[in-house]
C-alpha cells in the first residue's frame, strides 16, 4: 500500500491588534485572511539609481490575490516568530534569486493596507514594512532566478510611468494610492535625486556653523619625562576608541566614514558632508533630533559578485550601503531588526547567569547569519533560536588588542605609580572584559596626566540603556582648581541625608566622591556633537554602592562654552536687570554640583515586591534623561543647601538661578532626543509652569526669586521619588508632560538661531595632534 501523502502545513502568521501589537496568537495564513486578522508583511523595492527605474514583478497566475498583475519587486508575509529584516531578505532570495546582506535594505516606512477582494473571501489587514534596495544600475534580467509559483516575469519601469499607471487605475498593476500613504515611496526617492547642490551646501554649512571651532591647547608643564613619553601611546589608544565607537553606533558606520573621507576632496559638498559627519560621527544630526543630514544616495557603494546567478560580461551587483532615516534605537548593540518584545522573550529563555550577561554593560546580542532558504520548517518558523551573546572583548577583539598594547607600552614608560596601575589594569580589562579592577584604579588615579578610557556611557542604547560605548578623555590635571572643589565631595553624605526625599529611600553610606579638574588635551570615541563639560563615573552600580563615583571636570571646555555660548545666550534671552547675575563661577559651580549629585539619590533600590534592582534597570530607556534632570535640579537644590549652611557665599544665590536659566536654552539646543536636552526641557517647563521662570513681553526671561526655591525642591522630590520606586510609568508620564518643545522655548531658540549664537563648540586639539603626527 502506498505511503500516505503529507500535505505541507500552512504558513502561520502572528495575529496583531488593530494598532499593530502582537497578541501572542498565531494562525494559519488562510484563516488570517478569512477572518480579517491584522498581521505583518514586508515589501522590498529595488531601485536603479542610474536609470531612475523601479523593478516590478508579475505575480503568478495561481496567486490567491492579484493574480497576473505587476507588483512590488518582492513581498511576503512575516512568518510567526520571524523578524522583518530576515523576512525581507528571505523573500527576495526565494522569489527573485537575489541574496543580499542586511545593509542593502533601507526601511522607509510602515504602511497599513486594509482591503477586501475576491468577493469578500480575502480580507487583507496588513502592516507592511516597506524597504528600498538601491543599486547603481539595473540588474540584468537574465540574472534573476524566478520562483514560478510566485513570479512569472520581472521588468524595470521609470518612476514617472509607474506613478502615472497607478494614478490612472491601469488594471495591469496591483493598485496603490499615489496620493496616499504609499506615495512616500515616490516622494522619498524623487526628493533624494533632485538635489540642488548649492542649497544643500548652504544648509550643511549652516549646520556646521552651529559649532564654534575652539583650540584647546593646555600647558604641558608639570608632566614628568616618563609621562610625556607615555602620553603618545595613550593618545594612540584613544584613537582606537574612535574606531570602536563608529562600529557601535551602527553596523555600516565604519564603511560610510571611510567612503566620505575618501571622497571628501572631490567637491565642495563632499567636503561639507565629511566635516559635519565628523562632528556627529554618524549620518544623524545630534542637534536636529537625530534627523539624517545624509541619505542612502550619499552612502558607500559595495560590489557583490555572487548575489545572483552569473551573467557573462556583468561584474556583479553594485548597491548603496543603506541606512535608515530613523537612527536605530539599539545602535549596533542588538540585531537591527530586534525590538523590545523579541529581546524580552529571548532573555526570559536564558539562565539567570545568562540573563545578567544579556543586560550587562559589556556584551552585545547578535543573530546567526543563517542560510535563509533552509532556516525555516514547514510552518515558516525558524528551526532554532538564532540569538546569542558576545562579550566586547570578542566583538571588538582586533581593536581592543591594539589599544591594549598601546596602554601596556604607556604603562611601561610612565613614572607615576597610580597611572602605571591604571594603564595596565585597563589594558587587561580590554582583553578580559572584566572592568571592575580597572575602574577602581581609575577612581584612585593621582597623576598630573589624567586618563579616562574605556566603555562607560549608555546614551547610545536608546532601546534599553544597557550597553556602554567606548570613549577617551586625556587631560592635564589643574591642581589649583581641584583643591577648590574638594568641598562638594566632602559633603555628599550630608547632602544625601537632607535630600527632599522620604527617609526610607536614603542611603547612609554615600562615599565622598573624588573630584579631579583637568584641562582637556584630547578626546575620542563617544564625544560626538555637543561636548561634555564634566562626567561622573563609573556607572557600574557595584562600584557606586561600594566606593561611590569619581568626577572629572573639564575646566577649559567650561570656559569656552561660557565665553562663546552662554554669555551670548544671556545677552539675547535674559531680562536686562538680571544679566548682571550671569557669571562663570556660578555656571561652573553648578556644573561641579551637577556631577556630585549623580552620586547621591537612589541607585540600588528595593521594588514593591521586595526584589532588589537598580534605577537603570527599571527605567531602561528613560533612565538617562531623568538622571540628567535629577543631577541638574538636585544640583540647584544642593547649592542652596550649601549656601544656607554657610559653605558657599550668599552672593551665589541669585547668580546660580539666573545662570541656570540661561543654561537651559544652551542644553535644549542639543535637541530633545539627547538625554541632557530632554532633561533640561523637563526642568525649564516645570519651573516655567510653577512661575519660577517668567516670560516678558519683549521675549526675554527672568527668575522669580520668590518662587524658584519651592519649584526646584518640588521637582527634585518628584524625580528622586520616581527613581526610588523604579516607577517607569511615572517617569514616562513626567517626561511626556514636561520634556517637550513648548512655544516659549521655540521662540527663544528661534531668536538665538536668528542672531547665530553657536550651539556648542568643536574642539581642535593642536598639541595632541602634533604629538600623534610625530609618533606616527
Amino acid at each position: 500500500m502506498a505511503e500516505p501523502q503529507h500535505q505541507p502545513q500552512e504558513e502561520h502568521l502572528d495575529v496583531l491588534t488593530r494598532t499593530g501589537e502582537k497578541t501572542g496568537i498565531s494562525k494559519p495564513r488562510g484563516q488570517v485572511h478569512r477572518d480579517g486578522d491584522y498581521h505583518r508583511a514586508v515589501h522590498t523595492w529595488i531601485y536603479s539609481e542610474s536609470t531612475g527605474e523601479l523593478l516590478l514583478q508579475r505575480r503568478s497566475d495561481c496567486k490567491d490575490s492579484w493574480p497576473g498583475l505587476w507588483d512590488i519587486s518582492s513581498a511576503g508575509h512575516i512568518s510567526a516568530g520571524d523578524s522583518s529584516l530576515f523576512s525581507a531578505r528571505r523573500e527576495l532570495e526565494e522569489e527573485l534569486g537575489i541574496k543580499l546582506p542586511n545593509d542593502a535594505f533601507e526601511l522607509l516606512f510602515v504602511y497599513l493596507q486594509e482591503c477586501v477582494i475576491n468577493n469578500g473571501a480575502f480580507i487583507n489587514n496588513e502592516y507592511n514594512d516597506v524597504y528600498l534596495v538601491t543599486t547603481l544600475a539595473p540588474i540584468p534580467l537574465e540574472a534573476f532566478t524566478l520562483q514560478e509559483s510566485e513570479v512569472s516575469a520581472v521588468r524595470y519601469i521609470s518612476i514617472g510611468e509607474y506613478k502615472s499607471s497607478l494614478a490612472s487605475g491601469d488594471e495591469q498593476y496591483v493598485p496603490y494610492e499615489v496620493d496616499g500613504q504609499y506615495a512616500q515611496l515616490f516622494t522619498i526617492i524623487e526628493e533624494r535625486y533632485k538635489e540642488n547642490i548649492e542649497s544643500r551646501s548652504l544648509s550643511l554649512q549652516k549646520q556646521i556653523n552651529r559649532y564654534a571651532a575652539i583650540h584647546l591647547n593646555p600647558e604641558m608643564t608639570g608632566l614628568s619625562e616618563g609621562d610625556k613619553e607615555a602620553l603618545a601611546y595613550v593618545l594612540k589608544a584613544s584613537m582606537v576608541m574612535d574606531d570602536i565607537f563608529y562600529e557601535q553606533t551602527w553596523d555600516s558606520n565604519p564603511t560610510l566614514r571611510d567612503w566620505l573621507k575618501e571622497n571628501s576632496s572631490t567637491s565642495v559638498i563632499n567636503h561639507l558632508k565629511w566635516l559635519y559627519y565628523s562632528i556627529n560621527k554618524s549620518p544623524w544630526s545630534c542637534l536636529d533630533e537625530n534627523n539624517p543630514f545624509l541619505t542612502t544616495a550619499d552612502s558607500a557603494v559595495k560590489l557583490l559578485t555572487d548575489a545572483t546567478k552569473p551573467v557573462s560580461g556583468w561584474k556583479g551587483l553594485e548597491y548603496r550601503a543603506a541606512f535608515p532615516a530613523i537612527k536605530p534605537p539599539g545602535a549596533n548593540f542588538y540585531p537591527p531588526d530586534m525590538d523590545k518584545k523579541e529581546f524580552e522573550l529571548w532573555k526570559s529563555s536564558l539562565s539567570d547567569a545568562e540573563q545578567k550577561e544579556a543586560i550587562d554593560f559589556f556584551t552585545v546580542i547578535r543573530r546567526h547569519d543563517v542560510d535563509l532558504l533552509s532556516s525555516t520548517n514547514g510552518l515558516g518558523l525558524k528551526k532554532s533560536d538564532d540569538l546569542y551573546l558576545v562579550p566586547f572583548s570578542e566583538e571588538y577583539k582586533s581593536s581592543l588588542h591594539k589599544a591594549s598594547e598601546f596602554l601596556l607600552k604607556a604603562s611601561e614608560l610612565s613614572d607615576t605609580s597610580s597611572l602605571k596601575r591604571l594603564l595596565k589594569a585597563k589594558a587587561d580589562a580590554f582583553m578580559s572584559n572584566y572592568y571592575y579592577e580597572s575602574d577602581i584604579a581609575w577612581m584612585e588615579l593621582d597623576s598630573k596626566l589624567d586618563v579616562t578610557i574605556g566603555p562607560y556611557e549608555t546614551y547610545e542604547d536608546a532601546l534599553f540603556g544597557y550597553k556602554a560605548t567606548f570613549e577617551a578623555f586625556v587631560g592635564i590635571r589643574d591642581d589649583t582648581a581641584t583643591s577648590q572643589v574638594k568641598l562638594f565631595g566632602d559633603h555628599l553624605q550630608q547632602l544625601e541625608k537632607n535630600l527632599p526625599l522620604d527617609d526610607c529611600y536614603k542611603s547612609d553610606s554615600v562615599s565622598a566622591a573624588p573630584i579631579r579638574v583637568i584641562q582637556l588635551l584630547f578626546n575620542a570615541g563617544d564625544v560626538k556633537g555637543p561636548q561634555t563639560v564634566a562626567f561622573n563615573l563609573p556607572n557600574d552600580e557595584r562600584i557606586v554602592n561600594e566606593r561611590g563615583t569619581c568626577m572629572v571636570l573639564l575646566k577649559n571646555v567650561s570656559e569656552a562654552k561660557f565665553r562663546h555660548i552662554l554669555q551670548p545666550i544671556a545677552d539675547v534671552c535674559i531680562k536686562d536687570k538680571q544679566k548682571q547675575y550671569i557669571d562663570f563661577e556660578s555656571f561652573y559651580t553648578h556644573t561641579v554640583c551637577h556631577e556630585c549629585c549623580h552620586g547621591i539619590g537612589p541607585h540600588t533600590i528595593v521594588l514593591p515586591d521586595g526584589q532588589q534592582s537598580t534605577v537603570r534597570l527599571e527605567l531602561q530607556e528613560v533612565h538617562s534623561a531623568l538622571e540628567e534632570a535629577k543631577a541638574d535640579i538636585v544640583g540647584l537644590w544642593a547649592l542652596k543647601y550649601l549656601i544656607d549652611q554657610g559653605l558657599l557665599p550668599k552672593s551665589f544665590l541669585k547668580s546660580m538661578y539666573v545662570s541656570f536659566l540661561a543654561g537651559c536654552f544652551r542644553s535644549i539646543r542639543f535637541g530633545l532626543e539627547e538625554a541632557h536636552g530632554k532633561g533640561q526641557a523637563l526642568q525649564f517647563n516645570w519651573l516655567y509652569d510653577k512661575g519660577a521662570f517668567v516670560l516678558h513681553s519683549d521675549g526675554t526671561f527672568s527668575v522669580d526669586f520668590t518662587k524658584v526655591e519651592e519649584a526646584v525642591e518640588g521637582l527634585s522630590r518628584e524625580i528622586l521619588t520616581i527613581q526610588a520606586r523604579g516607577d517607569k510609568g511615572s517617569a514616562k508620564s513626567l517626561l511626556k508632560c514636561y520634556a517637550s518643545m513648548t512655544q516659549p522655548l521655540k521662540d527663544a531658540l528661534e531668536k538665538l538661531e536668528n542672531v547665530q549664537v553657536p550651539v556648542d563648540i568643536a574642539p581642535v586639539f593642536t598639541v595632541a595632534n602634533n604629538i600623534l603626527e610625530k609618533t606616527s
Side-chain angles (χ1 to χ4, degrees):
M1 187 171 65
E3 292 287 334
Q5 294 295 311
H6 292 285
Q7 294 297 321
Q9 289 182 286
E10 191 174 4
E11 177 185 21
H12 277 57
L13 307 179
D14 286 317
V15 176
L16 309 180
T17 66
R18 171 67 179 79
T19 53
E21 286 81 33
K22 287 184 180 179
T23 63
I25 300 170
S26 66
K27 290 168 61 173
R29 177 182 181 276
Q31 292 181 25
V32 165
H33 286 293
R34 179 198 69 194
D35 300 338
D37 294 313
Y38 287 85
H39 58 284
R40 295 182 69 205
V42 289
H43 290 182
T44 300
W45 291 93
I46 296 178
Y47 175 73
S48 167
E49 189 176 77
S50 62
T51 61
E53 295 175 315
L54 289 168
L55 179 75
L56 298 184
Q57 66 159 264
R58 188 175 182 275
R59 297 170 67 83
S60 171
D61 290 334
C62 62
K63 296 286 288 182
D64 58 4
S65 60
W66 314 113
L69 301 189
W70 291 99
D71 198 7
I72 305 153
S73 308
S74 170
H77 290 101
I78 300 178
S79 300
D82 279 354
S83 66
S84 172
L85 183 55
F86 174 89
S87 302
R89 292 177 62 197
R90 182 194 62 213
E91 292 295 330
L92 193 61
E93 185 174 354
E94 285 181 349
E95 294 184 355
L96 303 183
I98 302 176
K99 190 171 184 177
L100 295 177
N102 287 342
D103 70 352
F105 294 82
E106 177 184 1
L107 180 60
L108 297 183
F109 56 91
V110 179
Y111 166 66
L112 174 57
Q113 185 179 29
E114 297 173 298
C115 65
V116 180
I117 58 174
N118 298 351
N119 296 317
F122 191 97
I123 306 171
N124 196 40
N125 291 324
E126 195 169 76
Y127 279 93
N128 298 286
D129 292 347
V130 181
Y131 290 92
L132 182 68
V133 172
T134 301
T135 64
L136 259 62
I139 302 169
L141 298 186
E142 57 267 36
F144 295 100
T145 303
L146 305 184
Q147 184 181 19
E148 292 182 4
S149 61
E150 298 282 338
V151 184
S152 60
V154 291
R155 70 183 177 96
Y156 278 96
I157 186 172
S158 72
I159 284 189
E161 183 183 346
Y162 182 50
K163 280 179 65 178
S164 296
S165 298
L166 292 178
S168 66
D170 191 326
E171 294 184 356
Q172 297 182 74
Y173 301 91
V174 174
Y176 294 100
E177 294 180 3
V178 293
D179 56 354
Q181 188 184 6
Y182 216 87
Q184 293 176 81
L185 169 70
F186 308 111
T187 301
I188 290 169
I189 295 174
E190 288 168 346
E191 289 295 323
R192 186 172 290 181
Y193 291 98
K194 67 175 185 182
E195 174 184 18
N196 182 314
I197 293 179
E198 183 178 354
S199 64
R200 191 172 179 204
S201 296
L202 289 172
S203 177
L204 280 169
Q205 187 65 65
K206 187 176 180 181
Q207 288 176 301
I208 293 167
N209 289 345
R210 292 180 294 181
Y211 291 88
I214 305 297
H215 290 262
L216 298 180
N217 299 315
E219 294 292 329
M220 306 291 285
T221 54
L223 279 189
S224 66
E225 289 304 312
D227 287 355
K228 284 181 181 178
E229 292 183 48
L231 174 58
Y233 290 95
V234 170
L235 293 174
K236 289 180 178 180
S238 299
M239 292 290 289
V240 179
M241 301 302 102
D242 247 359
D243 294 333
I244 299 175
F245 178 67
Y246 277 107
E247 188 176 344
Q248 289 184 304
T249 304
W250 161 56
D251 57 353
S252 294
N253 206 26
T255 301
L256 179 60
R257 174 195 60 182
D258 295 344
W259 172 267
L260 292 172
K261 185 176 182 179
E262 181 183 339
N263 288 276
S264 63
S265 60
T266 58
S267 67
V268 171
I269 192 168
N270 284 343
H271 179 65
L272 294 173
K273 289 177 187 176
W274 169 242
L275 285 180
Y276 198 51
Y277 175 87
S278 299
I279 291 172
N280 292 279
K281 298 193 175 185
S282 83
W284 301 284
S285 175
C286 299
L287 296 180
D288 299 295
E289 313 295 333
N290 283 327
N291 286 324
F293 60 93
L294 301 174
T295 73
T296 295
D298 303 307
S299 193
V301 174
K302 290 187 173 182
L303 171 65
L304 295 175
T305 57
D306 57 354
T308 67
K309 64 184 180 185
V311 173
S312 178
W314 184 54
K315 65 179 179 180
L317 189 154
E318 289 184 290
Y319 72 95
R320 292 277 187 185
F323 57 85
I326 299 174
K327 185 180 180 185
N332 193 24
F333 298 119
Y334 311 91
D337 53 353
M338 171 182 267
D339 58 19
K340 282 189 166 188
K341 184 76 171 178
E342 184 185 10
F343 178 86
E344 294 294 357
L345 287 172
W346 169 71
K347 183 167 77 76
S348 67
S349 71
L350 304 176
S351 67
D352 289 347
E354 289 172 327
Q355 287 193 33
K356 289 181 180 179
E357 286 187 57
I359 62 175
D360 187 70
F361 287 111
F362 315 125
T363 62
V364 298
I365 289 84
R366 292 290 175 252
R367 199 187 295 284
H368 287 293
D369 190 11
V370 294
D371 183 342
L372 298 177
L373 295 184
S374 62
S375 63
T376 59
N377 60 27
L379 301 179
L381 299 174
K382 279 175 277 191
K383 290 178 180 176
S384 61
D385 200 334
D386 63 345
L387 297 171
Y388 61 100
L389 280 162
V390 185
F392 279 6
S393 54
E394 287 297 320
E395 180 72 7
Y396 314 116
K397 186 174 184 178
S398 176
S399 293
L400 288 175
H401 179 71
K402 186 191 303 182
S404 180
E405 289 191 329
F406 286 142
L407 292 183
L408 287 174
K409 182 65 175 177
S411 178
E412 293 170 2
L413 292 169
S414 172
D415 47 23
T416 302
S417 59
S418 64
L419 181 59
K420 289 175 74 74
R421 179 189 167 210
L422 167 65
L423 298 174
K424 172 66 166 60
K426 196 62 71 173
D428 293 342
F430 284 167
M431 304 312 296
S432 69
N433 215 52
Y434 181 70
Y435 285 88
Y436 183 91
E437 294 298 334
S438 69
D439 282 341
I440 296 296
W442 177 79
M443 293 184 72
E444 295 176 349
L445 180 63
D446 181 16
S447 168
K448 190 71 175 177
L449 177 58
D450 197 278
V451 179
T452 302
I453 187 168
Y456 285 108
E457 303 292 4
T458 61
Y459 301 126
E460 284 296 298
D461 180 3
L463 202 60
F464 292 106
Y466 291 156
K467 306 303 178 182
T469 47
F470 283 82
E471 62 187 8
F473 293 87
V474 182
I476 309 300
R477 188 175 65 190
D478 186 324
D479 293 316
T480 301
T482 297
S483 65
Q484 290 172 343
V485 299
K486 188 173 183 293
L487 162 75
F488 296 96
D490 290 346
H491 288 84
L492 276 189
Q493 185 62 67
Q494 189 177 348
L495 290 171
E496 173 81 16
K497 181 181 178 181
N498 290 278
L499 281 174
L501 176 69
D502 290 352
D503 288 343
C504 63
Y505 297 129
K506 295 176 183 177
S507 172
D508 57 5
S509 59
V510 174
S511 302
I515 303 176
R516 308 198 292 261
V517 181
I518 68 170
Q519 302 291 333
L520 184 64
L521 176 71
F522 186 77
N523 66 17
D526 189 2
V527 292
K528 62 184 177 61
Q531 297 292 298
T532 186
V533 295
F535 48 86
N536 186 305
L537 298 172
N539 289 319
D540 188 331
E541 285 87 1
R542 294 173 304 164
I543 299 177
V544 173
N545 291 331
E546 295 169 14
R547 303 287 295 268
T549 58
C550 180
M551 283 153 272
V552 177
L553 308 174
L554 286 54
K555 191 167 186 181
N556 54 346
V557 176
S558 290
E559 290 169 339
K561 291 199 180 203
F562 180 81
R563 184 168 61 254
H564 294 279
I565 300 165
L566 194 73
Q567 193 71 62
I569 286 175
D571 290 340
V572 174
C573 292
I574 302 301
K575 193 72 175 171
D576 282 343
K577 65 179 181 180
Q578 289 195 357
K579 287 180 182 177
Q580 61 181 309
Y581 297 122
I582 301 291
D583 64 71
F584 174 69
E585 283 307 312
S586 58
F587 168 73
Y588 177 66
T589 303
H590 180 255
T591 299
V592 176
C593 211
H594 168 108
E595 296 304 325
C596 286
C597 288
H598 277 304
I600 61 175
H603 289 281
T604 298
I605 58 176
V606 178
L607 301 177
D609 62 5
Q611 286 192 330
Q612 191 175 82
S613 185
T614 67
V615 178
R616 180 179 70 89
L617 288 179
E618 295 306 313
L619 300 191
Q620 296 181 335
E621 77 277 8
V622 297
H623 168 65
S624 292
L626 207 67
E627 176 61 22
E628 290 303 328
K630 179 209 83 173
D632 251 354
I633 202 70
V634 174
L636 271 186
W637 168 87
L639 287 177
K640 174 64 166 57
Y641 176 84
L642 293 172
I643 290 170
D644 290 345
Q645 300 302 306
L647 297 169
L648 287 174
K650 289 186 177 181
S651 60
F652 263 39
L653 193 59
K654 291 184 177 180
S655 290
M656 72 180 193
Y657 288 130
V658 180
S659 294
F660 177 80
L661 170 56
C664 285
F665 303 117
R666 182 183 71 86
S667 295
I668 291 167
R669 295 176 85 200
F670 298 159
L672 300 194
E673 290 300 312
E674 195 268 346
H676 298 80
K678 185 178 289 186
Q680 198 75 70
L682 160 63
Q683 296 167 84
F684 175 90
N685 289 325
W686 174 287
L687 294 173
Y688 182 81
D689 185 57
K690 305 302 180 187
F693 290 164
V694 180
L695 173 62
H696 300 280
S697 58
D698 62 356
T700 61
F701 293 82
S702 65
V703 176
D704 185 331
F705 297 116
T706 66
K707 296 180 179 178
V708 69
E709 182 180 341
E710 182 180 350
V712 166
E713 183 168 326
L715 181 55
S716 297
R717 181 180 298 277
E718 182 80 12
I719 293 175
L720 289 167
T721 303
I722 287 172
Q723 290 184 322
R725 294 173 178 169
D727 188 349
K728 185 178 179 181
S730 293
K732 292 177 76 172
S733 295
L734 183 67
L735 289 167
K736 182 179 180 180
C737 183
Y738 287 102
S740 61
M741 188 61 70
T742 55
Q743 197 60 48
L745 282 175
K746 287 180 182 177
D747 292 343
L749 299 191
E750 187 175 333
K751 286 174 66 178
L752 295 173
E753 183 76 15
N754 290 338
V755 298
Q756 297 185 345
V757 175
V759 176
D760 208 69
I761 66 167
V764 180
F765 303 114
T766 309
V767 171
N769 290 335
N770 286 340
I771 294 172
L772 285 167
E773 287 177 10
K774 289 177 182 177
T775 57
S776 60

